[in-house]
Amino acid sequence: MKSWATDAMNTPRAFLDTPRIANHAWRSLNKWGQLRVPKWNIWRNLQELLMVVGLIFVALPIGAEEVSPAVACPAGNLIAGRMPIEDTDIDGDLVRLTDDAVANEGAFWDSFPAVVLVTSAGSVTYDLGGPTRLQVAYLQADANDRYTIFTSLDGVSFQRLIDFTTVEGHGLRGRAATLRGTVARYVRIGEALGDSFFSMSEFQIFCQLPDPFPPKFKVLQVPVEPVADSDYFEWNNITSARFELVLALLGLALLIWGAWLTRKGRSNEHKKLRDGLLALLGIIAGAAYINLGAFHFSSFIHDWDTFHYYIGSKYFRELEYDRLYECTAIADWEAGFERRVELRKMMNLRTNEMELTTEILRHPERCKSHFSEERWASFQNDITWFRDRMTAKRWEDLQTDHGFNGTPVWTIAGTILSNTGPASDTQIVILDAIDCFLMLGMVGFIWWAFGWRVLCIALLVYSTNFPNRWYWTGGSLLRYDWLLWTVAAVCLARKERYFLSGAAIGYAILLRIFPGFLMLGPAVAMVLQLFRKRRIDRRYLAMIGGIVLSVVMLVPISFLTANSPQIYERFVENTIKHRNTPLTNYMGLPTLIAWRPTEMGRYLRSDALVDPWSTWKQARRDAAQEFKWLFLLTVATALVLLARAVHDREPWFALALGATMIGVSVELTCYYYAFLIVIALLTERHRNVGIVLLGVTFLTQVIAAVGVFGILNWSDEQYTAMSAVTMMGLVMLLYWFGFKPKSVVESAD
C-alpha cells in the first residue's frame, strides 16, 4: 500500500495541499513517537518524516505563489477601467492607462494620453481580484524603452514575467506580449529601461484572446511633436537667451557704428549719445546675466550644482573625489528608496563610466567606514534636504554627473562655509549668495582699473556668451571665485600692483588650475627679454613672487582641510580622469580636432548600453589621439602669435592676452568660457576686441537658437560649433595684436 508521502510526492505541484501534508505529518510524528509499530517500520516512518519536512519547505512557497484551486478566466480586458492599487514614481492621471483609449501611433512621448514614469523604478500594480490565468497583454508606451511585467499571487512577492521590448519609430507605439498562461492575482507594469524618458498610455491584459488582437481602441489624435508654448512672452530660460542674442547684436552694432565714425574722422560726433547707449546696454547686460533678477526662474538656488559643491566640500574628508554618489546611494537605500537605488544607473567616479549599483549595495561598508556615526547622521540629513528639493527624475539624473572636482585649496573655504550648520533653506541661500558678491567685486575691479566704458563692453561680452550663462553654475557655492581673482590679477597689474597681481593669479590657479594659462603671456615675454636683453623685467619677478606666496600660504592649509598630504596625488588622478572623459558640453581646440561628422552623438548614442554615450566617448578619444600632431602644431603656432603680440607690452596686456591660450590648449566645460571677460579688457587697446568678442557671443546665441528649430539640436553638435566660432575669434585677436603696427593697434579712442 502506498504511503501518504509517496502519494503526496506523486501529486502535481500545482495541486499540493499544504494543510493535508501537515495533517499527514502530524499523524506520522504521532505514530513514530508512540513506537507501537514493528521495528522495521521505525525506519520507514523516519523516512516519511524526512520527506515531509522537505515537502513542507517546498509546498509553503508554492502555496503562496502558485495556483489556488479556483483559477478564473473571464473574457475581455481584465483591468478595464480599473485604478491601480499601488503606484510608484508616476506622474499623470492613472485612469488613462485602462480607459480603452490610445494615442495615434508616433504621438509625442509625454502627450496627453500618457502617464510619465519619472524614474526607472516607476510602476503601477493592479489587483485582478483572485488568481487569474494570463494569456496576452497589450501596451502602448514610448517606443525606445523596455517595460517589464511582474506577477504575484500574494501581492508581496513579485516575479519578473516578460518584457515589452523596444519597437521601431518614435513616440507612443503599441506592442503585444504572450504571457504563457501564467496564473496571478496581482500584475505590475513598469520599471523601464531606456533613455530615462519613460511613458505609458494604455495597458490591457487578457485571459481569453480577443478577436481581433490587438483590440480596437478609441484613438485620440495628438501631436507627434512637442506642442510649442503659445505664450511667447513668458520669461523663461529660452526667452532669456533670445533676449541676450538681441543684446549682443545691439552692442555689436553700437561698437561698429563707433568704429565707422572713427575711420571717417568723426569720432566726436554723437559721442554723448553713444556713451549713453553704451552705459544703458552695460547696465542691462549686468541684469541680463541673472535673467533680470529671475535667476533660475523657479528658484535662486541651483540645487544640482550646489549639491555637488556643498556636499563634496562639507564631507571632503570622508568622500574625497570618488565616493559622493556611492554614499548617496547608501543614504537613499537606508531612507527607504530601495527599489530606486537597485535600478539606478550611476556614474562610477573612479572610472567615469556608468554602472549599476549592485556592487555598492553589496558592500555599504566601503562608504560608511569613512564616517563616524555622528557624521553619517549629518550626511543623511543633508542628503534628505537636497533630495526633497528635487523631482525624483532629477535626483536620479544627478547621480550620472561627474562628481565633486574642487581643488584641495578650493575646499579650504568650501569646507569652512558648508560646515557652518546642517543644510537648510537659510544656510544654502546665504552661501549661494556669496557668488553674487564675488561678481560685484569683479565689476568693481574692472571699473577701478579700466573705467566704465571697458566695463560695459566686458559685461556685454560676459552676459551674452551662451556657454557661460547663469543657467550652468549661478546660484551655487563659490563657483565664481576663480573668475574674480583672475580678473583681479589683470586689474591689479593694470594699476601696477604687480606683487598683488601675482598673488591673485596664484590663488586663481590654485582654485581652478586653468587660469595658469594666463601666465603664458608673461612667460613668453620673459623668455624674449632673456634672449634679447639678457634680463627680466622686475615687474614680472614681482608677479612671480606673489604666485609663490599664494602657494606657500595656501597649500599647507589645504593639507589640514583634507586631513591628508596625499590629497594632491588623488587630485591629479581625478584631473587626468576627467581630461580623458569627453563630455558633450566640452569646448576648445581639442573638441574641434576630435570632431567627426559621422561620429556625432545622434549616430553613436545608444540607450541599450549602461552608459549610452560610451561609444561616442571612445570615438572622441580615438580621434584626438590620431590627430594629436595637429593639436600640438596649432598650439605652437598660437604661442608664436602670442609671443609677437606681447613683446614690449605691459605686463597686464601680456596677462590678459594669455587668456586666449585657455581655449587653444585645453578642453573645458562650457561655463568656464566666462574667461572671455578677461580678454574683453583688451578693449582698452582697441575697439576691435569688443567687436570680435561680441561677434563671437552673438554667434553662440544663434547656434543655440537654431538648435530649437532642429538644426544642431544635439549638445555635442552645438558646443562643437560654439568652439569653432570662439577659436576663430581668439586666433583673430592673436593675429591682430601680433601683426598690426602698435601705432595702429593702440589708437583706440
Side-chain angles (χ1 to χ4, degrees), residues 439-637:
M439 286 190 289
L440 288 175
M442 178 182 69
V443 169
F445 267 115
I446 296 174
W447 198 335
W448 168 66
F450 292 94
W452 69 268
R453 290 183 179 85
V454 172
L455 170 62
C456 289
I457 295 172
L459 286 175
L460 280 167
V461 171
Y462 180 66
S463 64
T464 62
N465 189 37
F466 186 86
N468 64 256
R469 303 185 72 226
W470 175 269
Y471 166 88
W472 286 104
T473 56
S476 187
L477 177 62
L478 296 182
R479 294 292 264 153
Y480 293 82
D481 51 358
W482 70 271
L483 186 60
L484 166 65
W485 296 114
T486 302
V487 169
V490 178
C491 294
L492 288 165
R494 176 68 178 81
K495 287 295 188 177
E496 299 183 353
R497 271 71 163 183
Y498 298 109
F499 184 81
L500 292 177
S501 173
I505 195 62
Y507 188 29
I509 293 169
L510 292 172
L511 290 172
R512 282 296 183 276
I513 306 303
F514 68 84
F517 284 96
L518 270 72
M519 286 302 297
L520 285 177
V524 296
M526 286 187 286
V527 169
L528 290 173
Q529 287 176 356
L530 275 175
F531 182 74
R532 295 179 177 179
K533 302 179 181 179
R534 305 295 186 220
R535 66 178 179 82
I536 297 178
D537 191 325
R538 290 186 177 182
R539 296 176 296 180
Y540 289 125
L541 294 178
M543 292 175 68
I544 293 174
I547 293 174
V548 171
L549 178 66
S550 293
V551 173
V552 170
M553 289 183 59
L554 295 171
V555 170
I557 298 175
S558 69
F559 291 156
L560 299 175
T561 304
N563 200 29
S564 171
Q566 288 76 39
I567 196 61
Y568 279 90
E569 179 182 345
R570 287 191 278 277
F571 173 71
V572 170
E573 293 172 353
N574 188 61
T575 302
I576 293 173
K577 173 192 67 178
H578 283 299
R579 187 191 67 184
N580 295 329
T581 304
L583 300 179
T584 58
N585 65 332
Y586 264 165
M587 289 181 63
L589 177 63
T591 302
L592 287 176
I593 290 177
W595 179 80
R596 297 290 181 278
T598 58
E599 296 176 350
M600 296 186 294
R602 66 171 68 237
Y603 304 126
L604 298 185
R605 187 184 188 279
S606 173
D607 292 317
L609 303 174
V610 175
D611 184 351
W613 290 93
S614 58
T615 305
W616 176 86
K617 291 176 184 177
Q618 190 56 50
R620 285 281 177 132
R621 293 189 197 102
D622 294 342
Q625 188 62 34
E626 181 182 356
F627 286 90
K628 190 174 182 179
W629 63 270
L630 179 59
F631 167 70
L632 295 175
L633 178 61
T634 308
V635 171
T637 303

Side-chain angles (χ1 to χ4, degrees), residues 15-221:
F15 296 98
L16 282 175
D17 188 345
T18 303
R20 184 168 64 86
I21 292 175
N23 183 49
H24 279 299
W26 172 254
R27 289 167 52 196
S28 179
L29 286 170
N30 186 47
K31 287 196 300 179
W32 185 70
Q34 293 174 2
L35 297 177
R36 293 179 181 174
V37 292
K39 204 170 195 180
W40 56 271
N41 278 341
I42 294 176
W43 175 243
R44 176 183 168 189
N45 288 338
L46 181 60
Q47 287 179 307
E48 291 189 357
L49 175 63
L50 293 174
M51 284 189 290
V52 76
V53 171
L55 284 169
I56 288 173
F57 277 102
V58 171
L60 284 178
I62 292 174
E65 290 298 319
E66 295 281 340
V67 184
S68 72
V71 178
C73 188
N77 177 16
L78 302 177
I79 55 173
R82 295 197 187 193
M83 290 289 288
I85 60 169
E86 179 184 350
D87 64 273
T88 302
D89 292 349
I90 298 291
D91 182 19
D93 186 356
L94 294 175
V95 74
R96 301 176 192 170
L97 285 175
T98 57
D99 63 358
D100 201 36
V102 298
N104 48 293
E105 291 287 285
F108 195 63
W109 74 279
D110 65 348
S111 52
F112 165 73
V115 298
V116 173
L117 288 66
V118 294
T119 73
S120 57
S123 66
V124 289
T125 303
Y126 294 94
D127 182 359
L128 304 181
T132 308
R133 196 172 302 280
L134 311 178
Q135 295 292 356
V136 292
Y138 171 87
L139 176 72
Q140 188 184 60
D142 194 11
N144 61 347
D145 307 311
R146 301 171 68 93
Y147 300 82
T148 303
I149 293 181
F150 301 85
T151 59
S152 172
L153 280 168
D154 62 2
V156 176
S157 176
F158 282 81
Q159 290 78 42
R160 184 188 214 97
L161 177 59
I162 198 168
D163 285 350
F164 286 101
T165 59
T166 60
V167 293
E168 292 295 324
H170 299 283
L172 297 172
R173 294 188 181 271
R175 59 268 251 179
T178 301
L179 306 183
R180 304 188 297 268
T182 301
V183 176
R185 172 172 176 172
Y186 301 92
V187 177
R188 176 174 294 163
I189 179 72
E191 296 197 2
L193 176 65
D195 62 358
S196 296
F197 294 94
F198 311 125
S199 64
M200 304 183 297
S201 50
E202 185 69 16
F203 179 49
Q204 298 195 358
I205 320 170
F206 301 89
C207 174
Q208 299 180 26
L209 184 68
D211 185 20
F213 184 77
K216 293 181 178 179
F217 302 103
K218 177 183 178 182
V219 179
L220 305 175
Q221 296 298 320

Side-chain angles (χ1 to χ4, degrees), residues 292-506:
L292 304 186
F295 299 103
H296 290 291
F297 302 99
S298 60
S299 172
F300 167 72
I301 298 172
H302 192 318
D303 46 25
W304 182 303
D305 200 72
T306 302
F307 166 82
H308 287 90
Y309 279 81
Y310 178 91
I311 298 293
S313 60
K314 187 171 187 175
Y315 302 96
F316 187 61
R317 292 186 178 186
E318 293 87 355
L319 300 175
E320 293 189 351
Y321 291 109
D322 53 15
R323 289 188 288 271
L324 175 59
Y325 297 154
E326 292 183 11
C327 293
T328 299
I330 299 302
D332 284 349
W333 174 274
E334 293 183 354
F337 299 95
E338 295 94 339
R339 194 56 179 159
R340 276 193 201 170
V341 178
E342 288 173 348
L343 298 174
R344 180 178 294 170
K345 290 196 296 184
M346 191 182 73
M347 186 66 69
N348 182 334
L349 295 178
R350 295 178 180 84
T351 63
N352 271 4
E353 298 290 339
M354 294 284 288
E355 294 181 359
L356 300 176
T357 58
T358 308
E359 193 65 19
I360 296 166
L361 296 178
R362 189 176 291 140
H363 298 285
E365 71 281 357
R366 294 178 183 174
C367 160
K368 296 184 67 173
S369 63
H370 297 277
F371 287 80
S372 67
E373 289 187 8
E374 181 182 1
R375 289 288 282 175
W376 180 250
S378 174
F379 179 77
Q380 287 180 309
N381 176 77
D382 291 342
I383 291 296
T384 299
W385 187 87
F386 279 99
R387 185 177 57 235
D388 289 348
R389 281 188 57 84
M390 304 185 200
T391 64
K393 175 174 170 41
R394 184 170 173 83
W395 182 250
E396 296 298 303
D397 289 346
L398 179 146
Q399 319 297 324
T400 66
D401 207 330
H402 293 82
F404 167 73
N405 300 298
T407 66
V409 168
W410 184 94
T411 62
I412 296 172
T415 299
I416 292 171
L417 292 170
S418 58
N419 277 285
T420 54
S424 66
D425 293 351
T426 301
Q427 187 209 33
I428 299 297
V429 167
I430 291 174
L431 295 184
D432 286 358
I434 293 174
D435 272 354
C436 295
F437 291 98
L438 295 180
M439 286 190 289
L440 288 175
M442 178 182 69
V443 169
F445 267 115
I446 296 174
W447 198 335
W448 168 66
F450 292 94
W452 69 268
R453 290 183 179 85
V454 172
L455 170 62
C456 289
I457 295 172
L459 286 175
L460 280 167
V461 171
Y462 180 66
S463 64
T464 62
N465 189 37
F466 186 86
N468 64 256
R469 303 185 72 226
W470 175 269
Y471 166 88
W472 286 104
T473 56
S476 187
L477 177 62
L478 296 182
R479 294 292 264 153
Y480 293 82
D481 51 358
W482 70 271
L483 186 60
L484 166 65
W485 296 114
T486 302
V487 169
V490 178
C491 294
L492 288 165
R494 176 68 178 81
K495 287 295 188 177
E496 299 183 353
R497 271 71 163 183
Y498 298 109
F499 184 81
L500 292 177
S501 173
I505 195 62

Side-chain angles (χ1 to χ4, degrees), residues 628-678:
K628 190 174 182 179
W629 63 270
L630 179 59
F631 167 70
L632 295 175
L633 178 61
T634 308
V635 171
T637 303
L639 281 171
V640 171
L641 292 174
L642 180 65
R644 287 186 59 91
V646 301
H647 175 56
D648 288 338
R649 299 276 192 174
E650 306 99 313
W652 79 265
F653 182 96
L655 199 62
L657 195 62
T660 58
M661 297 303 297
I662 296 175
V664 173
S665 303
V666 292
E667 276 187 311
L668 295 173
T669 39
C670 60
Y671 41 82
Y672 287 123
Y673 270 67
F675 76 80
L676 291 186
I677 194 173
V678 176

Side-chain angles (χ1 to χ4, degrees), residues 679-691:
I679 304 173
L681 301 180
L682 294 169
T683 303
E684 184 182 71
R685 283 294 174 261
H686 204 282
R687 186 187 294 101
N688 280 2
V689 175
I691 292 174

